[in-house]
Amino acid sequence: MQASPRIAVVGAGLAGACAAFALAPYATVTVFEASSSQAEAFRAQGGLVHPLMTRRARPNWRHEEALQALERLLEATGVRVQRGLLRVAFEARQYTDFQEAARRYPQWASWLAPEAVRDHFPQVHAPYGALWIPSGLLVPVATLIQSLLAHAGVPVHRGVEILDWQETATEVVLQAANGAAYTFDYVVLAPGYGYVRHPELARLPLQGVKGQAIALSSLPELGHLPPVVANVHVVFGPDHLHVGSSYELTFSSLAPSPAQSLQLQEQAAYWVPAIARATFKEAWVGVRVIRPLQPLPVLSPLPSRRRVWLFSALGSRGLLFAPLLASWLPKVLFEPERLPPEVRLTRA
């Protein structure tokens, strides 16, 4: 990387915070965030990550590198996590898939037949068995984001919405909604669902997926359980139970849905029957960004651009992929040809 380039990171979510943290030792970094709230947008996230997150419990793309990158961030920031989770097979065909996963990847998971789940976790209903994944992590996402930005030591301008950008041969000029203009050598756009407000980004093959999560009253008899992951996930906190998440590919409102809240509790209660007795406290909504035709994130210059980059499409695996991709930025920003082709945008 050239000597102390000026780099703007637009978006202070997980991708933006990881990018700022990775670039700060090598550049003069400034972060812009449209929202004035630090943590509200991340309350819908469960914060769960492990190496076998696919439906058939197979390793994710570059899973070992990705988990190592996350562990490095956790060590550097001192953010504390909970380890170990129970992944319950939620349909009959996963019975064989999960057994095979445990056989092929004993370093990550062990198979628990239905009777073994009853012995070890009697509060959990697992008619098709489960995987015990000791390396699974429960990460406080909002805390990690705040810690990354604090450790990066970069200025964070909240409540500043970037509307547009103009790229020249030597710099990028950002135009803000407040009328201000800011000049940088490079810009990394990490806008989350805010991409839909930018015509250049809205034309890209991206899609928002609405997800809702709920908080239920805590139940003392469940306090010792690890996170349970099936077609929904349940995190057992001291103050509330966190249940998520719904997946809506089409939506017209970002408001929580009472019907979705009820469905989430009913689904969670199928796997942990005592949850039927919990009382509803609150619902949260977030929107994940995905690439429908390519289930991997984006880290790439925008088509026909060199100095404006996009860091997006992390979907439900942001904790897995964001630290790894961000760690590449100091090397690839000036040499984008070094990027894996799977994460690059191609000309439409």
Side-chain angles (χ1 to χ4, degrees):
M1 180 173 280
Q2 69 187 35
S4 195
R6 300 164 301 162
I7 301 176
V9 175
V10 179
L14 181 60
C18 288
F21 182 84
L23 289 166
Y26 310 97
T28 301
V29 177
T30 303
V31 177
F32 297 94
E33 169 56 46
S35 171
S36 58
S37 172
Q38 293 189 39
E40 191 68 25
F42 309 103
R43 297 177 72 190
Q45 297 192 14
L48 297 172
V49 62
H50 59 90
L52 301 173
M53 295 176 71
T54 64
R55 191 180 188 93
R56 300 186 64 196
R58 298 293 185 262
N60 296 275
W61 181 76
R62 300 204 176 206
H63 57 279
E64 292 190 86
E65 293 175 76
L67 290 168
Q68 290 168 5
L70 174 58
E71 290 284 3
R72 287 194 295 270
L73 284 194
L74 295 172
E75 182 178 0
T77 58
V79 172
R80 300 183 66 178
V81 300
Q82 179 180 329
R83 297 181 184 270
L85 63 85
L86 187 68
R87 185 170 180 196
V88 177
F90 62 84
E91 55 188 10
R93 60 183 174 180
Q94 287 183 320
Y95 183 95
T96 302
D97 288 338
F98 281 22
Q99 283 183 310
E100 176 65 10
R103 186 188 68 80
R104 294 177 63 180
Y105 312 109
Q107 70 274 34
W108 296 318
S110 56
W111 165 249
L112 297 178
E115 57 273 16
V117 177
R118 286 194 298 270
D119 290 342
H120 290 87
F121 305 101
Q123 302 92 338
V124 177
H125 175 62
Y128 310 118
L131 287 175
W132 170 246
I133 306 177
S135 60
L137 301 178
L138 171 60
V139 181
V141 179
T143 301
L144 177 61
I145 291 169
Q146 294 168 15
S147 185
L148 286 169
L149 293 173
H151 280 77
V154 301
V156 181
H157 300 289
R158 297 190 180 274
V160 178
E161 183 180 4
I162 300 301
L163 297 180
D164 198 9
W165 43 85
Q166 288 81 44
E167 179 180 344
T168 70
T170 58
E171 62 188 19
V172 181
V173 180
L174 297 178
Q175 300 291 336
N178 60 11
Y182 306 91
T183 302
F184 293 90
D185 297 309
Y186 288 84
V187 174
V188 177
L189 302 172
Y193 189 52
Y195 84 90
V196 298
R197 296 193 294 270
H198 300 280
E200 185 174 357
L201 303 183
R203 291 192 295 267
L204 297 173
L206 303 174
Q207 181 177 1
V209 180
K210 180 181 176 182
Q212 182 166 318
I214 59 173
L216 302 173
S217 61
S218 60
L219 298 172
E221 67 268 32
L222 302 180
H224 68 284
L225 281 178
V228 173
V229 180
N231 58 336
V232 294
H233 63 259
V234 188
V235 175
F236 304 90
D239 302 319
H240 67 270
L241 308 181
H242 182 285
V243 179
S245 170
S246 60
Y247 291 84
E248 295 181 65
L249 295 175
T250 58
F251 51 92
S252 58
S253 170
L254 293 181
S257 160
Q260 288 283 6
S261 295
L262 179 60
Q263 185 177 35
L264 284 168
Q265 182 166 1
E266 290 175 345
Q267 290 175 326
Y270 180 79
W271 308 111
V272 185
I275 289 177
R277 295 188 284 101
T279 56
F280 175 82
K281 297 180 68 175
E282 192 174 359
W284 308 298
V285 168
V287 179
R288 310 173 183 91
V289 179
I290 64 170
R291 279 198 287 175
L293 301 179
Q294 167 61 282
L296 287 175
V298 170
L299 181 66
S300 172
L302 290 178
S304 303
R305 294 191 181 273
R306 187 169 65 89
R307 295 179 176 271
V308 182
W309 285 59
L310 180 65
F311 190 5
S312 185
L314 294 164
S316 60
R317 297 175 189 171
L319 277 170
L320 185 68
F321 290 135
L324 175 64
L325 270 62
S327 72
W328 296 343
L329 274 169
K331 296 180 180 179
V332 303
L333 203 62
F334 297 99
E335 299 178 84
E337 64 276 4
R338 299 178 63 177
L339 284 165
E342 298 95 325
V343 301
R344 291 203 59 168
L345 291 168
T346 56
R347 298 176 190 269

